[in-house]
Amino acid sequence: MRRIIGIVLAVLLVGGVVVAVVAGRESGDNGTATKTVQGVIGSEKAEFFADPDVVKALAAKGYTVKAETSGSWAMEGLDLKGYDFALPSSQAPAVELAEKYKVRGTLPRPFYSPLVVVAHRSAAEVLAGNGLATLDGKSRGTLDMGAYLDAARAGRTWQQLKWAGKYGELSGTLYISSTDPESSNSGALYLAATSYVANGGKVVASAADVARTAPLLKKLVSVQGTQQTSTDASFRDFVSGVGNPLVLVYESQVASLLAGGQQPGDLVVLYPDTTVNSDHTVVPLTENGRALAELLSSDPELRKLLVRHGFRPQGAATAFGSAGAHLKQELTGVRQAPVPTSAVLHELARRATGDDK
């Protein structure tokens, strides 16, 4: 199977889509920082590395981090010569980068975040009333992925659902907005989860599996029209009341919003009953990059700050204690779907976005 090169993405990145996020520029106190570590990160981690408290914590250990943002799957097309680390949002693109740059050993995965669907309360209540979701309260629930995929396969509209007529904003085809799977980690992981359900609870592994699931995945993507390349943009649009009533984002984005004291309005968080965790994986390209990965994995202060930004540190489920009414502290009742190999996931993304050749 051919690899997805992402030529258009590469042009966009060269044109300036990659944005520098220099940790420390918002704080005049660089503490004892003596080593500058340069890397490329997924956009959802930009606020973490720009947080003045994170800057100080890193400086106290002797490091200043300079990071640029990029789509996780687009990182493979970047020239990372001279960089100390890459930090995509899941293991699959990290493995590809490790192979490209001949990085040996186990790749550190210091923290993770499950994918969730954010919905306006009207949409969540209609889904629940039609057997597509269950609600734990006003602000949290579970999405039945099997029922949702059945509805998507049949091309159901909001108007065909009971009680949707009360809400003028619920019209058109029922679908979840996701990001471009050829460039964005969350979009690719959405295909991993949906293909697993569509394949009868088995990870897609063969050409026959791909052929069986690809038509539905293409339907899930094509109904959306132009997709965003970043969950940051999708989530901002949702919070501002723009766009589709159902949007796939990282749990960490919701947690960070709540921790920042912003009012979520009628936001409801739906945990898909079958989902995929986004395992933020460090590809250490130098010894300084490996040292940073170790700090993110083990330093108590940095782990606390990761929680503040909505991430779940590995091996510390109870640390995610400020979940509140919107989020689950423990992911009970949520099944983790295995992720296909990188080659298979690339092929699913290629088929889903319309390239059938």
Side-chain angles (χ1 to χ4, degrees):
M1 289 181 281
R2 297 184 302 167
R3 302 168 66 82
I4 296 175
I5 303 301
I7 296 174
V8 175
L9 269 168
V11 172
L12 288 173
L13 290 170
V14 171
V17 172
V18 176
V19 180
V21 180
V22 181
R25 66 186 176 188
E26 297 182 10
S27 172
D29 180 12
N30 285 328
T32 59
T34 58
K35 297 179 181 178
T36 297
V37 184
Q38 186 163 348
V40 59
I41 62 174
S43 61
E44 68 288 333
K45 295 178 283 286
E47 288 187 6
F48 171 77
F49 281 104
D51 184 336
D53 289 335
V54 173
V55 172
K56 291 177 183 178
L58 288 168
K61 298 296 182 179
Y63 293 94
T64 295
V65 174
K66 293 184 178 180
E68 299 168 6
T69 62
S70 167
S72 293
W73 287 99
M75 289 182 188
E76 187 185 354
L78 302 177
D79 181 4
L80 299 183
K81 184 179 180 180
Y83 285 74
D84 295 291
F85 73 97
L87 185 46
S89 300
S90 68
Q91 194 171 14
V95 168
E96 295 225 346
L97 287 170
E99 291 177 356
K100 179 178 179 179
Y101 292 97
K102 297 179 172 56
V103 176
R104 306 303 179 195
T106 302
L107 299 178
R109 293 180 289 163
F111 53 96
Y112 67 99
S113 182
L115 290 170
V116 299
V117 174
V118 289
H120 296 295
R121 187 165 295 130
S122 57
E125 290 177 350
V126 168
L127 291 178
N130 286 269
L132 297 172
T134 56
L135 299 180
D136 303 335
K138 290 185 177 181
S139 304
R140 184 177 66 204
T142 302
L143 178 70
D144 186 324
M145 284 292 282
Y148 165 68
L149 291 183
D150 286 343
R153 192 180 285 108
R156 294 183 73 181
T157 64
W158 284 103
Q159 292 93 323
Q160 292 173 325
L161 301 182
K162 293 182 293 185
W163 302 298
K166 296 189 298 181
Y167 307 104
E169 70 273 17
L170 299 180
S171 63
T173 304
L174 170 68
Y175 69 90
I176 295 171
S177 290
S178 60
T179 52
D180 180 357
E182 292 192 288
S183 62
S184 170
N185 178 67
S186 63
L189 293 185
Y190 180 55
L191 297 187
T194 52
S195 66
Y196 179 81
V197 177
N199 200 39
K202 297 184 295 183
V203 65
V204 172
S206 66
D209 291 340
V210 171
R212 182 164 46 251
T213 57
L216 175 59
L217 302 187
K218 185 172 182 178
K219 198 166 192 176
L220 296 175
V221 170
S222 62
V223 72
Q224 300 182 45
T226 302
Q227 293 176 290
Q228 299 275 16
T229 58
S230 163
T231 52
D232 275 357
S234 300
F235 189 50
R236 284 197 302 269
D237 286 348
F238 177 85
V239 171
S240 64
V242 177
N244 195 49
L246 302 174
V247 180
L248 186 82
V249 300
Y250 295 113
E251 179 196 57
S252 59
Q253 293 173 286
V254 181
S256 182
L257 176 81
L258 299 174
Q262 295 191 48
Q263 296 300 317
D266 66 347
L267 181 147
V268 177
V269 179
L270 298 175
Y271 286 80
D273 60 8
T274 302
T275 189
V276 176
N277 279 345
S278 176
D279 286 319
H280 298 272
T281 306
V282 184
V283 184
L285 303 173
T286 66
E287 286 305 311
N288 282 343
R290 191 168 294 280
L292 175 65
E294 176 59 28
L295 285 175
L296 292 172
S297 300
S298 62
D299 183 76
E301 182 61 23
L302 287 171
R303 285 167 70 85
K304 288 179 183 176
L305 291 168
L306 282 167
V307 172
R308 180 200 291 180
H309 283 269
F311 300 109
R312 293 176 180 257
Q314 293 286 1
T318 57
F320 201 74
S322 57
H326 289 81
L327 306 177
K328 292 177 179 282
Q329 178 172 330
E330 297 182 5
L331 299 175
T332 53
V334 177
R335 184 179 188 182
Q336 294 299 316
V339 178
T341 65
S342 180
V344 170
L345 201 51
H346 274 302
E347 180 66 7
L348 289 174
R350 185 179 72 82
R351 296 282 194 96
T353 52
D355 186 355
D356 294 324
K357 297 180 181 179

